């Protein structure tokens, strides 16, 4: 067993404890993060080689609830944990969102971030702990990643901001703001609330970003002491000559499509037709074993052109793909009493 290390830091007015060196030592990075008696265990690992035939980052984030964490044993004849609950899926997705953009562009190695609840005191909420645990595991690992990040929940109770309120405190909170960010910027926001004014929301965001800084600083300290050297990874760059040719071939036409077709189905049909024309033009340019790779590159460049044209039209012309401006809201409609026995707010 390796050397166990323990670190403590205050997030808001609550003490958090990070431990590493005693569990899952073969993982790229492994830590537990504790608030009160709620403990989340996080591991991060990456495959040695890129996953062939993909043009995206193959990252999977999994949050595994355990009933024993709250002192319970599954009942009935199953005597085992079931499939992920809705809450577990949402925690995994919320963790994925601030992590994913910080991986290097072109990284195609399989990456797994596994989060597990080891203990839950049913007082301190586990979702923000999970995001922070994932960040520490990645930051100290050998996986290339531009972290660290911090995550906090901000409540508004009796007109006072509370960082990482407990379950009981949240009953009286007008705001449930979950956010993550780096040292310099906020990168993810999820929020539900009673109506609050704009200045209150801005202040909540500022308070949350300020509150996560000690934990971000702690992660840099831990990495400086025990962090592994980041691993080199293979990336296959698209040839600039090919990128220039494809861009020049479709740039004007994509601009026309984006500007002319506000109906999504019509726009997608035109974009798909142009893509097929492009694929046919390049299909015979390589040996049979290389043609799939070439066409994958062509499609990727084509997608980049579309993204750039849509973004330019939004930022420079103030027009979204469906023709709406910045301040335009699409028409909304609702009907009630459509079904005879369905219960709902309608």
């Amino acid at each position: 067993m390796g050397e166990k290390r323990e670190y403590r830091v205050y997030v808001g007015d609550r003490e958090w404890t990070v431990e590493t060196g005693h569990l899952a030592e073969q993982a790229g990075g492994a830590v537990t993060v504790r608030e009160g008696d709620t403990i989340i265990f996080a591991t991060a690992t990456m495959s040695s080689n890129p996953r062939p035939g993909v043009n995206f980052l193959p990252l999977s984030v999994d949050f595994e609830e355990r009933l024993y964490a709250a002192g319970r044993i599954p009942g009935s004849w199953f005597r085992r944990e079931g499939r992920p609950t809705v809450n577990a899926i949402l925690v995994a997705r919320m963790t994925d969102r601030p992590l994913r953009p910080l991986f290097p562009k072109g990284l195609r190695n399989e990456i797994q971030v596994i989060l597990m609840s080891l203990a839950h005191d049913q007082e301190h909420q586990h979702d923000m702990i999970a995001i922070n645990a994932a960040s520490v595991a990645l930051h100290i690992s050998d996986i290339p990643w531009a972290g660290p990040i911090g995550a906090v929940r901000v409540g508004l109770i009796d007109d006072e901001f509370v960082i990482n309120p407990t379950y009981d405190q949240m009953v009286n909170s007008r705001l449930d703001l979950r956010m993550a960010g780096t040292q310099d910027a906020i990168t993810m926001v999820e929020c539900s609330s009673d109506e609050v004014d704009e200045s209150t929301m801005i202040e909540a965001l500022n308070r949350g970003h300020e509150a996560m800084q000690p934990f971000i600083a702690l992660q840099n300290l831990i990495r400086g002491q025990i962090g592994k050297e980041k691993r080199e990874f293979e990336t296959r760059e698209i040839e600039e000559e090919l990128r220039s040719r494809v861009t020049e071939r479709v740039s004007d036409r994509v601009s026309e499509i984006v500007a002319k077709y506000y109906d999504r189905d019509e726009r997608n049909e035109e974009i798909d037709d142009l893509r097929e024309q492009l694929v046919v033009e390049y299909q015979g340019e390589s040996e049979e074993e290389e043609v799939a790779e070439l066409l994958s590159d062509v499609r990727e460049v084509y997608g980049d052109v579309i993204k750039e044209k849509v973004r330019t039209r939004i930022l420079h012309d103030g027009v979204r793909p469906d023709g709406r401006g910045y301040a335009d809201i699409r028409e909304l409609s609702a009907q009630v009493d459509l079904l005879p026995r369905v219960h709902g707010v309608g």
Side-chain angles (χ1 to χ4, degrees):
M1 178 174 282
E3 179 186 357
K4 179 179 176 180
R5 291 176 177 261
E6 181 180 292
Y7 303 85
R8 297 175 183 270
V9 68
Y10 275 87
V11 180
D13 61 354
R14 303 186 188 283
E15 186 178 56
W16 287 34
T17 304
V18 178
E19 293 185 358
T20 187
H22 63 299
L23 294 174
E25 293 180 61
Q26 292 186 348
V31 299
T32 61
V33 177
R34 175 174 182 165
E35 181 187 9
D37 286 337
T38 296
I39 302 175
I40 300 296
F41 174 49
T43 62
T45 56
M46 184 175 82
S47 65
S48 300
N49 300 307
R51 178 172 159 183
V54 300
N55 59 358
F56 60 88
L57 174 69
L59 166 68
S60 63
V61 178
D62 182 28
F63 179 76
E64 299 183 1
E65 292 178 317
R66 290 290 182 263
L67 290 176
Y68 65 68
R72 301 175 186 168
I73 297 174
S76 79
W77 59 276
F78 283 108
R79 297 291 176 187
R80 67 187 68 183
E81 305 285 348
R83 64 187 180 185
T85 64
V86 171
N87 178 70
I89 294 170
L90 292 177
V91 171
R93 289 179 177 177
M94 195 175 349
T95 304
D96 183 295
R97 283 177 58 196
L99 300 182
R100 187 176 292 270
L102 298 178
F103 288 97
K105 187 175 182 180
L107 180 62
R108 298 293 180 257
N109 298 52
E110 296 267 10
I111 299 171
Q112 274 194 335
V113 176
I114 307 296
L115 305 160
M116 184 181 300
S117 58
L118 296 186
H120 200 302
D121 59 13
Q122 301 184 68
E123 177 184 359
H124 299 91
Q125 305 194 61
H126 60 275
D127 49 1
M128 297 300 101
I129 305 175
I131 298 175
N132 285 297
S135 176
V136 184
L138 283 167
H139 197 45
I140 67 174
S141 75
D142 58 352
I143 302 171
W145 189 61
I149 62 170
V152 296
R153 172 182 266 100
V154 182
L156 183 61
I157 304 169
D158 296 329
D159 294 325
E160 296 289 334
F161 292 109
V162 179
I163 302 300
N164 293 330
T166 63
Y167 285 109
D168 288 342
Q169 288 177 308
M170 283 303 298
V171 172
N172 300 311
S173 179
R174 292 173 50 211
L175 178 69
D176 184 4
L177 173 64
R178 288 152 287 181
M179 55 184 292
T182 62
Q183 181 177 346
D184 302 318
I186 296 169
T187 58
M188 188 275 291
V189 173
E190 285 278 356
C191 183
S192 63
S193 72
D194 296 337
E195 291 186 5
V196 296
D197 58 63
E198 183 177 350
S199 61
T200 301
M201 182 60 72
I202 292 172
E203 178 67 16
L205 291 167
N206 288 333
R207 293 285 189 93
H209 191 240
E210 180 182 345
M212 66 181 68
Q213 297 307 314
F215 196 83
I216 292 173
L218 177 69
Q219 292 179 71
N220 287 324
L221 171 68
I222 298 173
R223 169 145 191 86
Q225 293 182 359
I226 62 172
K228 298 177 181 177
E229 183 178 352
K230 295 299 184 182
R231 202 189 312 173
E232 297 293 328
F233 64 95
E234 296 179 28
T235 180
R236 188 174 59 81
E237 298 290 338
I238 297 174
E239 294 180 4
E240 281 303 316
E241 191 268 340
L242 175 64
R243 183 176 290 277
S244 298
R245 284 170 57 196
V246 173
T247 302
E248 185 177 349
R249 164 71 177 82
V250 301
S251 183
D252 291 342
R253 179 57 184 150
V254 170
S255 295
E256 291 176 10
I257 293 172
V258 171
K260 180 178 179 181
Y261 294 97
Y262 290 153
D263 180 81
R264 183 176 60 183
D265 292 335
E266 292 180 355
R267 185 171 61 251
N268 288 344
E269 184 177 345
E270 293 293 326
I271 286 174
D272 291 344
D273 287 345
L274 183 56
R275 181 191 296 109
E276 291 309 310
Q277 293 176 31
L278 201 59
V279 167
V280 170
E281 291 173 14
Y282 279 89
Q283 208 143 18
E285 287 204 7
S286 295
E287 299 296 331
E288 186 174 343
E289 61 271 14
E290 297 177 354
V291 70
E293 196 171 275
L294 172 67
L295 295 182
S296 176
D297 289 347
V298 168
R299 293 188 183 98
E300 185 172 342
V301 174
Y302 181 62
D304 291 343
V305 173
I306 295 171
K307 185 185 301 182
E308 190 271 331
K309 294 300 181 184
V310 170
R311 180 180 174 82
T312 297
R313 186 161 168 77
I314 293 172
L315 294 179
H316 294 177
D317 301 336
V319 181
R320 291 188 274 184
D322 60 1
R324 287 180 296 141
Y326 290 144
D328 297 333
I329 300 174
R330 67 169 60 91
E331 289 186 13
L332 301 176
S333 64
Q335 297 182 41
V336 298
D337 204 24
L338 295 178
L339 300 173
R341 290 181 178 236
V342 177
H343 171 72
V345 294

